[in-house]
Amino acid sequence: MQQPEPQSFDRVLSSMCTEPHPAAREAAERFLATNPGDPATYETVASLEERAVELLATLADHPTPADAAGYVTSGGTEANVQAVRSARNRHDASDVNVVVPESGHFSFHKAAELLGVELRTVPVDDDFRTRTDAVAAAVDESTALVVGVAGSTEYGRVDPIPELARIAREAGARMHVDAAWGGFVLPFTDAEWAFGDAAVDTLTIDPHKFGQAAVPAGGLLARDDAALDALAVDTPYLETRSQATLTGTRSGAGVAGAVAAMEALWPDGYRDAVERATANADWLAAALDARGYDVVDPELPLVAAALPEPEFDALREAGWKVSRTGRGELRVVCMPHVTREALRAFVADLDRIQD
Ligand code: PLP
């Protein structure tokens, strides 16, 4: 029987995942049958995971990357759920709440439901960044965690992280940054988003997004061990005594692929990818603006623009994998696989549709 071919990336403009780097693909395949959830048995992949955490911590400007805590998750969702769980477990109150901007990823809704915490959603400003006055008004002594987004899913916006961290600290809460998508872009910008600039406790940063690793490879980082200790449960039948991860058996392929991608690309390869993606986003934003569409000025390489529904539908029919924001704007994520040539073809199709 003929094997099905996976989706080609040629017309994928909506995804936050991308084609893995060849070294990541190769490493992932080699480690397919390993389980970092059982480190006393699968020792090589366990040490690779330590390397992954150190590399991620370097990207996230951790003051001492070799001492950072964290692990390779199944994705940003698991990392966010675990950040909420850790903060809840460390907070000294029974009814805790978590303050999340409305631009926060829907994984925080899953976290709140699973963990029985109240989600306090706060508005964003006219430019889609979290309103710090709204966060300051929402926190109280039961707030376990304040969440800031560094590279929002819909508009690629970076919240004022140092200010949010200050508000969190004053309220006795912890600070989590969701840089699941932005984390591999932001080191090459002036944005203040990481451990170095602010009192950040935990951070989500996913190799399987802009990091060009193979799926599944998300990342949870913590400033110190205490955040992960708060997640640990006893593991009676394993040689290691406790486990802080959410899943038990995990993908060694994800871990090995993440290390291979980061070793191949950090920092020059990622810098090149970010420069190309940024130039592409600026080009697309200008092209859409020139055609009279209302464009949200891109901060990171993600373009949103108001496009009438029939045009959006016609683009989908032409095979373009595009998606919409909650407000209905066209959303194009300029990932490393998105070439200028593809964007030119996309705009040419739009011109044909408009005629
Ligand atoms: N956080 C942000 C900012 C995201 O954009 C996403 C997904 O796009 C997630 C979290 C969830 O990541 P995953 O789909 O890997 O679970």
Side-chain angles (χ1 to χ4, degrees):
M1 202 180 87
Q2 213 189 343
Q3 293 298 318
E5 283 299 316
Q7 168 85 45
S8 142
F9 276 99
D10 289 356
R11 292 192 163 215
V12 175
L13 304 182
S14 58
S15 183
M16 290 194 144
C17 292
T18 194
E19 223 155 358
H21 185 277
R25 193 183 281 275
E26 195 268 328
E29 198 174 331
R30 254 182 315 124
F31 279 82
L32 261 183
T34 63
N35 170 20
D38 180 3
T41 304
Y42 300 94
E43 289 166 338
T44 309
V45 80
S47 58
L48 275 179
E49 184 159 31
E50 285 170 17
R51 176 80 181 130
V53 170
E54 186 177 347
L55 284 162
L56 285 171
T58 304
L59 263 92
D61 205 15
H62 191 286
T64 50
D67 299 330
Y71 72 95
V72 177
T73 63
S74 55
T77 298
E78 180 183 340
N80 286 341
V81 169
Q82 289 280 78
V84 173
R85 182 172 158 234
S86 171
R88 182 201 65 173
N89 290 357
R90 293 173 84 186
H91 200 73
D92 200 12
S94 49
D95 285 332
V96 305
N97 66 71
V98 173
V99 176
V100 178
E102 61 184 344
S103 56
H105 186 260
F106 53 78
S107 46
F108 292 104
H109 293 264
K110 296 182 184 177
E113 192 186 322
L114 280 167
L115 297 166
V117 305
E118 180 198 347
L119 199 66
R120 293 193 177 164
T121 308
V122 294
V124 295
D125 63 18
D126 292 345
D127 202 22
F128 311 105
R129 287 185 192 82
T130 304
R131 273 181 45 193
T132 52
D133 60 334
V135 174
V139 294
D140 59 22
E141 67 282 358
S142 300
T143 304
L145 189 68
V146 172
V147 174
V149 189
S152 60
T153 313
E154 291 199 325
Y155 299 103
R157 289 301 193 247
V158 182
D159 283 338
I161 302 298
E163 176 67 1
L164 293 175
R166 193 188 55 72
I167 296 167
R169 175 156 291 193
E170 279 172 14
R174 294 201 157 73
M175 178 71 204
H176 176 68
V177 174
D178 184 0
W181 176 69
F184 282 80
V185 178
L186 290 161
F188 309 104
T189 69
D190 295 333
E192 294 180 307
W193 63 286
F195 289 104
D197 300 307
V200 171
D201 295 288
T202 51
L203 193 139
T204 294
I205 174 169
D206 288 354
H208 73 198
K209 295 192 170 71
F210 221 95
Q212 299 173 53
V215 177
L220 174 67
L221 286 180
R223 182 174 288 279
D224 50 47
D225 288 342
L228 286 206
D229 291 346
L231 296 169
V233 298
D234 292 342
T235 51
Y237 73 89
L238 296 179
E239 279 306 302
T240 38
R241 283 190 312 276
S242 71
Q243 193 174 79
T245 56
L246 188 60
T247 52
T249 299
R250 291 185 292 132
S251 166
V255 170
V259 172
M262 289 189 279
E263 287 191 334
L265 293 168
W266 172 258
D268 295 343
Y270 289 132
R271 184 183 298 108
D272 290 349
V274 169
E275 282 171 4
R276 264 197 318 275
T278 304
N280 280 339
D282 291 344
W283 181 88
L284 179 64
L288 294 172
D289 181 64
R291 285 159 179 79
Y293 299 110
D294 213 356
V295 180
V296 178
D297 207 16
E299 178 178 5
L300 298 184
L302 194 165
V303 181
L307 197 74
E309 205 165 314
E311 275 148 74
F312 180 88
D313 292 344
L315 286 167
R316 291 271 323 173
E317 256 160 53
W320 293 102
K321 303 296 181 201
V322 281
S323 67
R324 271 176 287 205
T325 66
R327 301 195 319 174
E329 291 128 329
L330 164 79
R331 170 180 168 274
V332 172
V333 192
C334 292
M335 293 299 289
H337 66 265
V338 175
T339 61
R340 183 67 60 88
E341 201 188 343
L343 292 177
R344 281 190 210 285
F346 175 73
V347 171
D349 273 0
L350 185 58
D351 286 340
R352 247 192 312 279
I353 288 160
Q354 267 186 323
D355 284 342

